[in-house]
Amino acid sequence: IYTNQVWLSKFCYAERKNERTHYETMFRELGFEIANPTNLIEQEPFFEGAGDALFAGDTLIGGYGFRSDPAVYQLPFFQQFE
């Protein structure tokens, strides 16, 4: 979450994939802008969520490995934090 924008997880593992629609609904109902709506994620790299990207002041520290693809940090939403 950054200001009023939310970058939703694209879960890698089948056990969690259905969670995304629930999060998208909740954040929309709370008035957030979804930066990566479900209908646009087909080619999006995996990104498991908040545990893999955390703010330290104004700096976003992004992790990657078996949960998240480092390519996600090259997408426009994340480029605003360079």
Side-chain angles (χ1 to χ4, degrees), residues 46-66:
F46 288 112
F47 176 71
E48 288 282 334
D52 289 355
L54 301 170
F55 282 100
D58 292 336
T59 302
L60 181 69
I61 300 170
Y64 58 89
F66 67 93

Side-chain angles (χ1 to χ4, degrees), residues 15-32:
E15 295 83 1
R16 297 202 64 197
K17 287 184 187 260
N18 291 332
E19 293 177 35
R20 182 186 172 96
T21 55
H22 298 289
Y23 285 118
E24 186 167 1
T25 298
M26 177 194 71
F27 281 116
R28 283 189 193 283
E29 288 175 356
L30 291 171
F32 286 91

Side-chain angles (χ1 to χ4, degrees), residues 56-78:
D58 292 336
T59 302
L60 181 69
I61 300 170
Y64 58 89
F66 67 93
R67 290 171 31 101
S68 294
D69 185 332
V72 76
Y73 301 112
Q74 300 306 310
L75 297 173
F77 176 80
F78 290 99

